[in-house]
Amino acid sequence: MNREEKLLAYLKEVCLGLSLAVSGRELEQALKIRDSDLRKMVNRMRKNGELIGSCQEGYFYIETFGEAQITLRHLEQMIRGLEATKQGLLRGMNDLPLKKTGGESHR
């Protein structure tokens, strides 16, 4: 069983539904993986259609449409935060001097 299969089995057995959500740290310890690996695995598995939910309490396997909506709201909140971070970086870039590099102008 590969790591993604182990994660999926754990979520389905131990974290079935929002009420049984576990923190990322708990999953990392139970499966002996790093937090960056956990996030990459969850992302890849969701892209493949796995119903892995998340909320402030942690991760869980989605059982209901309502739990899927909670996860979607959580993801949308993260997207808004990333967009705000991007906009702040873009504002900061306005203060960078123009310089020539390899014949192209860059800020």
Side-chain angles (χ1 to χ4, degrees), residues 23-88:
S23 70
R25 185 166 304 238
E26 288 178 65
L27 283 175
E28 294 155 23
Q29 290 172 350
L31 300 171
K32 297 176 178 40
I33 57 177
R34 295 186 312 237
D35 74 330
S36 60
D37 290 335
L38 174 62
R39 285 184 273 113
K40 288 176 187 174
M41 289 167 54
V42 167
N43 186 38
R44 189 169 39 250
M45 293 166 72
R46 282 175 171 165
K47 287 179 182 177
N48 289 328
E50 293 296 347
L51 296 174
I52 299 174
S54 60
C55 59
Q56 288 185 332
E57 290 78 20
Y59 294 97
F60 59 96
Y61 194 80
I62 295 170
E63 277 191 300
T64 68
F65 187 80
E67 290 175 350
Q69 289 179 310
I70 288 168
T71 297
L72 289 172
R73 282 195 297 271
H74 184 246
L75 291 172
E76 289 165 354
Q77 185 178 17
M78 291 170 57
I79 291 167
R80 285 190 300 273
L82 287 171
E83 184 60 34
T85 300
K86 174 185 160 188
Q87 292 304 319

Side-chain angles (χ1 to χ4, degrees), residues 99-106:
K99 80 176 198 183
K100 292 205 176 232
T101 306
E104 299 175 31
S105 291
H106 296 279

